[in-house]
Amino acid sequence: ALFPAVSDAPSSRHRFECLVWELVTFGERLEVAVGRRLDETEGQWAQRKVQAQSLFEVGAITGVRGDGPMEHLASHNRLSMRYARGEQDLAAKMRAAGITGLARDELLVADEIDDISRLLDERLRAAGVTWNEFVSLGREGVADFLDDLPSRSVALALRRERHRNPHERWKEGDLHDIAAVSVAVAYCDVVVIEKHVHELLSRSRITERFGTTLLRRPSELGDALDRSLGRGVAAAGARS
């Protein structure tokens, strides 16, 4: 769970003019002051704000904490770059081969299965199911299997929508976006999200399956939460 808290009181302990952000994730607490220190230059402040953003994003996604430059951050960035290149290469190969429509969607399903193949192999062995038996489900059966994995189904829906444009430009931050959004949409009632991803998810209609409310502006969050809580209270009353 992620619980950011902002204090607008001056922090004499940190010698900051204002704003201390607290991040609690997976039981760990990380405090990052985002106001300008009284003894730092404008350039130092700008650099530290970028670092603070990385700390919060990586902490929210991975649960890893750190109070300064994180050793794992470089490897995380390399993974993000590799992911973006992989999606770009996949799009180029499908474009060159003329793969579109249903064939493209089936290829993406196969790619998702390959991504989880190691973990899937462990679970199949534990269940006493062979790969031949799993593959015998057929294309539709394997797609249905992925659809039963909530966050994976959202990730697949996002990738399908993006690969509809064969010239889509993939960026390093896309891995972060898909990882965070896929979990949020699958397990949260309300998600505030940027315009492009909002359009992709709306087009895919995946949120209808989970009953997730998508918002584009934080200012809409209060009313949306009130409605969500109201529905929850009404449902609880109906059950009782």
Side-chain angles (χ1 to χ4, degrees):
L2 180 64
F3 305 98
V6 177
S7 168
D8 58 4
S11 174
S12 58
R13 180 163 61 90
H14 290 279
R15 299 182 64 205
F16 284 87
E17 293 176 338
C18 62
L19 291 184
V20 173
W21 286 4
E22 295 175 350
L23 172 69
V24 180
T25 176
F26 293 88
E28 294 287 352
R29 183 186 187 91
L30 172 63
E31 192 174 271
V32 180
V34 293
R36 181 177 174 179
R37 283 177 178 167
L38 299 177
D39 59 350
E40 71 182 344
T41 66
E42 189 79 23
Q44 289 172 329
W45 182 34
Q47 184 178 10
R48 190 168 47 74
K49 283 194 293 185
V50 172
Q51 182 191 24
Q53 182 180 4
S54 295
L55 285 168
F56 270 77
E57 288 183 355
V58 175
I61 294 170
T62 67
V64 179
R65 75 181 292 273
D67 298 310
M70 293 185 291
E71 294 181 0
H72 75 285
L73 199 54
S75 60
H76 192 80
N77 289 339
R78 286 194 296 270
L79 177 62
S80 299
M81 293 174 62
R82 190 163 67 246
Y83 176 82
R85 285 197 300 268
E87 292 286 23
Q88 205 77 49
D89 291 345
L90 179 60
K93 290 176 180 176
M94 289 193 293
R95 185 169 64 247
I99 298 175
T100 60
L102 180 60
R104 178 190 58 232
D105 291 347
E106 290 178 343
L107 192 151
L108 291 174
V109 168
D111 192 60
E112 287 286 332
I113 290 293
D114 180 67
D115 191 46
I116 62 172
S117 59
R118 183 180 60 81
L119 292 174
L120 180 56
D121 182 66
E122 292 178 2
R123 301 320 305 160
L124 289 177
R125 289 175 183 271
V129 178
T130 67
W131 272 101
N132 284 338
E133 289 172 325
F134 177 74
V135 173
S136 70
L137 292 172
R139 294 178 179 179
E140 290 187 8
V142 172
D144 288 343
F145 169 82
L146 269 182
D147 204 40
D148 283 338
L149 305 177
S151 61
R152 278 285 165 178
S153 67
V154 177
L156 179 59
L158 276 172
R159 294 183 68 208
R160 279 173 172 164
E161 292 303 321
R162 292 196 62 175
H163 277 289
R164 288 185 193 280
N165 176 8
H167 300 285
E168 177 82 3
R169 181 173 175 269
W170 293 80
K171 305 180 296 297
E172 294 175 24
D174 290 334
L175 176 61
H176 295 182
D177 291 343
I178 291 179
V181 169
S182 60
V183 174
V185 169
Y187 296 104
C188 295
D189 294 317
V190 182
V191 179
V192 183
I193 205 161
E194 57 94 8
K195 179 181 177 181
H196 180 54
V197 180
H198 185 285
E199 291 174 349
L200 293 173
L201 289 171
S202 298
R203 202 160 63 212
S204 74
R205 306 184 71 174
I206 189 71
T207 55
E208 295 177 9
R209 172 186 169 190
F210 299 105
T212 310
T213 299
L214 291 182
L215 305 177
R216 282 186 50 197
R217 300 176 182 85
S219 59
E220 302 170 331
L221 187 56
D223 290 341
L225 289 176
D226 286 342
R227 290 193 297 270
S228 180
L229 290 171
R231 288 194 297 269
V233 170
R239 286 194 298 270
S240 62

